[in-house]
Amino acid sequence: TYNALTAIQDQAERFSQTLLEQAQWLPEENRNTIKEWIGACKKGRNDYKNTVESGFNQLETFLGAGN
């Protein structure tokens, strides 16, 4: 389900944040890349949710129009 996907991605984000805090040897450029990746994952997840919800709304409208 979407909630399970969200929980997994949130856990991965927390892990990544912990890694960034503890890995002082990691260059700033790499840190920024990881932060951008986290942001892209969140955006993709939200875009996916909105697309699916929109599709279901359109389907409900279509099926409701036939009644």
Side-chain angles (χ1 to χ4, degrees), residues 35-45:
K35 289 175 184 178
E36 288 175 16
W37 173 73
I38 291 170
C41 286
K42 278 185 172 181
K43 182 181 181 321
R45 181 177 71 196

Side-chain angles (χ1 to χ4, degrees), residues 4 10 15 23 43 49 53 57-58 60 62:
D10 288 345
F15 173 77
K43 182 181 181 321
K49 180 183 180 207
E53 286 178 348
N57 289 339
Q58 290 175 6
E60 286 177 348
F62 176 74

Side-chain angles (χ1 to χ4, degrees), residues 39-59:
C41 286
K42 278 185 172 181
K43 182 181 181 321
R45 181 177 71 196
N46 290 335
D47 289 349
Y48 172 79
K49 180 183 180 207
N50 291 337
T51 300
V52 170
E53 286 178 348
S54 175
F56 278 122
N57 289 339
Q58 290 175 6
L59 180 62

Side-chain angles (χ1 to χ4, degrees), residues 12 15 21 25 30-33 36 39-41 44 46 49 60 64 66-67:
F15 173 77
E21 290 170 6
W25 51 266
N30 295 33
R31 291 174 185 274
N32 291 337
T33 300
E36 288 175 16
C41 286
N46 290 335
K49 180 183 180 207
E60 286 177 348
N67 291 332

